[in-house]
Structure formats: C-alpha cells, structure tokens
Amino acid sequence: MEIRLMDHVLGTASNGDGERLFLVLVNPIQNKQTVVLSLEGVRGFSSSFLNSSFGELISRYGVDAVRSGLRLSHYRPSVAQSIANYIDQAGQLIH
Amino acid sequence: MIHAYSDKARDYFERNFFRGKNLEPLYICLTEVFNNVFDHANSPVHGYVITQYSKSSRTFETAVFDLGNGISETVNRHLKATGSDPVNDNQAVELALKRNFSAKSKPHNRGYGLDTLSSIVQTMGGELAIRCNFAHLHLDPKGITREVESLSLPGTLITFTLNADRLEELEEESTDSIFDF
C-alpha cells in the first residue's frame, strides 16, 4: 500500500496534521500491512507532528511494529533520517 | 495555522535570497515555537511573530511573543502537580529547554520542542533568548547567561537568530529507492 503524505495533511508542523497522518497509518500498522509512505514535497517535520503521528503509533503498537510496517519513498535523505532518529529515540522512551 | 507562516517565511527567503539552500532550520524553529505557544501558553491572543533577514550580519532574526501563562509559570504549575518543589523563573526556563521535560499541557507532549529549537540555534551558530515573568535567559555560542529582570513580563517572548552562512544545500528527493527502517 502506497500513501502520499501530502494528500492527507496541510503541512507537517502541527499536532492536528500529525493526528491526520496517525489516522491514515493506524489501520495498516494494526493489521501488520506494509505501508510505503511517499514524502514527495516534504521538507521536514516539527516535533509536535512527529509526536502526534509516529509517536502515537509507537505508544500504541510498539517501535518494532512501526519499523517493520513502514517504508519511505520520494524522500530527501535528511528528512527520512529525521524520522528514523525520532523512532529510535521515541522507542527508547515510550513504553 | 501553524504551518502557514512557517511555510511562507521559508519560501520567501529561499526565493529571494537563498535559492538552492535548505531553509528547513528556520522552518522547524518557527514551528517549534508556535507549537509551544498553542500547546502551553493559553494565550488570549495566540501570539505575534516577526522574522527578518539582515543582509549586513547575514542572520535571520525572529521574535515570537504571546500573552499567555509564561513558560516559568507553566513549568511550576506542572512541578506542583507532580509533587516537586517550585523553582525560580530562570531555572524553570532551563528545565523547559531540557530534552524530555514536558509540562504535559497536551497528552502528546514529549518535551522535544524547545530542546529542538535550542539545538538548531546552536548548530546554526545563533542566539536564543527567552523572557518570561522575571526570567531572562540568553544562549549564544559562548554559553548561557541568566538575568533577573526588575519588571515581570506577562506571557513569553522568544527571540532567536540563525546564521545564514551555515545553511546547507537543498537535497534532491530520492525517487528510485525505498527507505527501510
């Protein structure tokens, strides 16, 4: 399943948009489907956006479920790495 | 909307001064401060912001002001709620800057926002000042200074600068590979 992030959010700065991404990803992650998330046009994220999307997924399903169920396409390397760093750090803190 | 100003500021400066450069540090700093206002300040006017670029000093200069609770009051309210002793205004601001410290005004808060702001400012060779109640905290490449002001400021004023000479080249999107965690 491929999902283009910017089709579902207005931006990547607010909690509200993070929550929208969470709602897009929650069922596939819960059902152990693999999601390819296209970051076409995405330049970066606020920590609030990351908390409300990936952070919330990690809180509910654990870091391994998010790592194994998520792939990225059309990404800028530093942007993809910022998600990877967030998942690493949040995975250590969120139980 | 939090992203609207940040998007427009980034795009304006890229288009007019820094074509081909990555202005994401400016964008992220703005969004972190805005989210801090919306999540914690409880300000009746949300906030005021101005961003400018100084050609002579080659720095971005931003000021964000809200008329809310003030960071120190929000932190002390959280400390009291969790059974901890109160701290003075400057100590409260320093706590707010620590990674993983959050006043938990909203359930999703994890204490990354102001830490991200100060980290980017330091990486970009800039300065960060936070003024609230009697606190006046200033971070620059030489370190941190704390002043106790004689007048209490209602709300919070955050000012920061970023050195434009530290902007990196804008990366191309990778279209033929998949990033795997």
Side-chain angles (χ1 to χ4, degrees):
Chain A
M1 175 191 298
E2 179 150 359
I3 293 169
R4 185 176 177 272
L5 172 57
M6 294 310 291
D7 288 341
H8 299 274
V9 298
L10 297 171
T12 54
S14 69
N15 287 300
D17 279 319
E19 288 163 5
R20 290 185 188 96
L21 175 60
F22 168 80
L23 291 173
V24 168
L25 295 177
V26 64
N27 282 334
I29 294 294
Q30 191 175 21
N31 295 323
K32 301 187 187 309
Q33 294 174 285
T34 298
V35 177
V36 179
L37 184 65
S38 167
L39 299 182
E40 185 180 356
V42 175
R43 300 280 303 274
F45 308 98
S46 73
S47 62
S48 295
F49 179 90
L50 294 170
N51 288 340
S52 300
S53 53
F54 302 111
E56 194 60 28
L57 286 169
I58 292 168
S59 289
R60 294 197 188 195
Y61 305 108
V63 68
D64 292 338
V66 175
R67 278 201 185 107
S68 62
L70 193 63
R71 307 282 184 276
L72 304 175
S73 70
H74 299 84
Y75 59 87
R76 290 185 162 90
S78 64
V79 175
Q81 193 57 50
S82 71
I83 298 177
N85 292 343
Y86 179 87
I87 291 174
D88 286 346
Q89 291 171 21
Q92 293 169 14
L93 293 169
I94 301 170
H95 302 289
Chain B
M1 290 192 296
I2 288 169
H3 69 86
Y5 183 92
S6 312
D7 274 343
K8 283 188 167 62
R10 176 188 59 200
D11 294 347
Y12 172 81
F13 290 118
E14 275 186 0
R15 193 170 55 246
N16 290 288
F17 299 99
F18 297 102
R19 200 167 285 270
K21 292 287 187 181
N22 183 8
L23 269 78
E24 214 53 29
L26 174 65
Y27 173 87
I28 293 175
C29 287
L30 287 167
T31 61
E32 297 299 354
V33 179
F34 294 164
N35 276 302
N36 196 64
V37 173
F38 279 90
D39 283 357
H40 303 289
N42 197 26
S43 172
V45 295
H46 293 318
Y48 302 96
V49 56
I50 183 169
T51 300
Q52 61 183 10
Y53 172 63
S54 166
K55 280 185 178 177
S56 58
S57 63
R58 292 190 56 77
T59 55
F60 297 97
E61 302 165 342
T62 297
V64 180
F65 177 59
D66 70 72
L67 283 163
N69 300 328
I71 289 175
S72 55
E73 186 180 321
T74 302
V75 166
N76 272 314
R77 194 176 293 171
H78 172 71
L79 291 175
K80 184 179 178 184
T82 54
S84 301
D85 293 332
V87 294
N88 68 41
D89 289 336
N90 274 314
Q91 289 170 329
V93 173
E94 283 190 73
L95 265 180
L97 287 168
K98 286 187 187 301
R99 191 161 187 84
N100 301 324
F101 178 87
S102 172
K104 284 283 178 189
S105 303
K106 299 280 166 56
H108 53 253
N109 293 150
R110 304 196 195 283
Y112 295 167
L114 291 180
D115 168 75
T116 299
L117 170 68
S118 65
S119 296
I120 291 174
V121 167
Q122 289 175 65
T123 302
M124 295 294 293
E127 300 181 16
L128 169 65
I130 299 179
R131 176 89 169 80
C132 65
N133 297 339
F134 293 98
H136 189 170
L137 204 77
H138 185 97
L139 289 94
D140 63 26
K142 293 176 186 167
I144 183 167
T145 56
R146 307 158 188 87
E147 289 178 42
V148 178
E149 297 288 345
S150 56
L151 291 174
S152 177
L153 181 80
T156 300
L157 172 65
I158 295 181
T159 59
F160 64 87
T161 65
L162 304 174
N163 183 349
D165 290 331
R166 302 236 181 146
L167 293 172
E168 296 184 346
E169 300 295 317
L170 186 61
E171 297 171 319
E172 294 293 322
E173 280 182 1
S174 171
T175 55
D176 57 358
S177 63
I178 297 292
F179 189 94
D180 192 340
F181 295 96

